[in-house]
Amino acid sequence: MRVAIVSEFYPRAHDPVLGIWAHRQALAARDAGADVRVLVLHRPVPPRSTRLRDAPRALRTLASQPRHVALDGLDVRYVPFFAPPRSRTYGSWGAWAAPTLAGALRRLHAEFPYDLVHAHNAVPAADAVLRARRSTPLVVSVHGGDVYYTAPRYPAGARAVRRALGSARLVLANSAGIEDEARRLGALHTRVVRLGTDVPDHPPHKAPAPTLVTVAHLVARKRHADVVRALWLLRDRHPQLRYLIVGDGPEREPLARLAAELGVADRVELAGQLPREEALERARAAHLFVMPSIDEAFGVAYVEAMAAGLPAVGARGEAGPQEIAAAGDGLRLVPPADVEALAAELDALLAEPAYLQELGARARATVVRAFTWELCGRATLEAYEDALR
């Protein structure tokens, strides 16, 4: 079976962790038996959050992205397109990407006659595929952005999401909650395909001081600030407690200011975006993964932590954390935006080191049973086969 994957979110030279989950799912599908090629929608314009003095370098880096590379043995081609700023026009980016994508799909098919196209997200990827007028069967993955961001915020985006989901042979959702939302937005045929993670062979070496960790883009919905405030509430009961934040984004400076205002700046490390292996190594040395985020469709970061024996804490009522918690032990849920409840949960876990270690072992077992890349690859291949029937 030959599959062409189309995605906006995918690793690039300047950002090797962007959309790493899409790349890992592509590799998992390949390892399960699919023959895969990837087309990446590449907009060589720096995001609005880029500081003015950094803009020229960012623009040069984006413009110099190689058009054709091999990533882990996978053929990946970058398809450039231009579009107005995301904040105003993201819902219509599929229309801007369609002309160059149409040419890329045509050239790819001439040398690699693919059987189906798998688009990650309805907007812009699936919308661009439909506008390119290819008759190949279409599978669309919904990861959260379509239902939490694009459809509610942009009228053109809502129309594009509904058209793409309604036109797909099959819609893949990364959790049952997202599957329900996809059906509400017009998906006719759906199934849940969970993303996965690698499972380390050996338990990691732990940091000497008790450490909380979050690995995520620094945006408000990830609720890093709640963890900083919880750290302040626990300052007397756990005077050695530290908080490691791995990632970068527009909330970096506000988080640094908040930590300084609360007097816990010496306990908070803003490590920035690290190479993937270094980020995993540092995170696994912590004692507890904490990310009480909202609008969380799945959350690969939770299962990555759990695979290394780190218990995790997420927000109750979110599609992804609810599904992960339902699969087995290892992820504790607290009310969203409730700093006192978060602090109480952290306090209870940190106060019982033996139980925390036991919960970590259960977390790892949950991942082995339900959230490996091997399982994801088999489920993805089965979904492709169903779409072609």
Side-chain angles (χ1 to χ4, degrees), residues 174-204:
N174 55 4
S175 65
I178 295 302
E179 182 181 34
D180 291 341
E181 292 294 325
R183 285 184 172 274
R184 184 179 62 80
L185 287 167
L188 302 175
H189 306 286
T190 63
R191 80 162 46 186
V192 174
V193 174
R194 298 162 166 171
L195 299 176
T197 187
D198 298 315
V199 181
D201 293 330
H202 306 289

Side-chain angles (χ1 to χ4, degrees), residues 37-51:
R37 303 289 188 275
V38 181
L39 297 175
V40 181
L41 301 180
H42 178 62
R43 180 174 176 266
V45 178
R48 287 184 65 185
S49 59
T50 304
R51 289 174 292 191

Side-chain angles (χ1 to χ4, degrees), residues 341-362:
L342 175 62
E345 183 68 29
L346 298 178
D347 182 29
L349 291 170
L350 293 167
E352 297 287 344
Y355 174 69
L356 191 64
Q357 186 173 3
E358 178 186 343
L359 189 61
R362 293 185 202 165

Side-chain angles (χ1 to χ4, degrees), residues 277-336:
E277 291 305 317
E278 183 181 352
L280 288 172
E281 182 180 358
R282 294 216 58 196
R284 290 167 177 169
H287 298 78
L288 192 56
F289 183 90
V290 190
M291 192 170 73
S293 56
I294 60 172
D295 293 347
E296 197 62 64
F298 180 67
V300 170
Y302 298 111
V303 296
E304 285 180 338
M306 293 165 63
L310 267 73
V313 177
R316 185 174 296 130
E318 298 298 320
Q322 289 284 158
E323 180 135 329
I324 295 168
D329 292 334
L331 176 62
R332 305 296 286 266
L333 303 179
V334 299

Side-chain angles (χ1 to χ4, degrees), residues 78-119:
Y78 293 81
V79 182
F81 75 101
F82 290 92
R86 175 185 293 263
S87 59
R88 296 197 301 271
T89 65
Y90 186 67
S92 63
W93 273 17
W96 291 86
T100 51
L101 179 63
L105 284 168
R106 186 172 58 252
R107 289 189 295 273
L108 178 62
H109 195 270
E111 62 184 80
F112 177 73
Y114 46 82
D115 302 300
L116 64 81
V117 175
H118 178 189

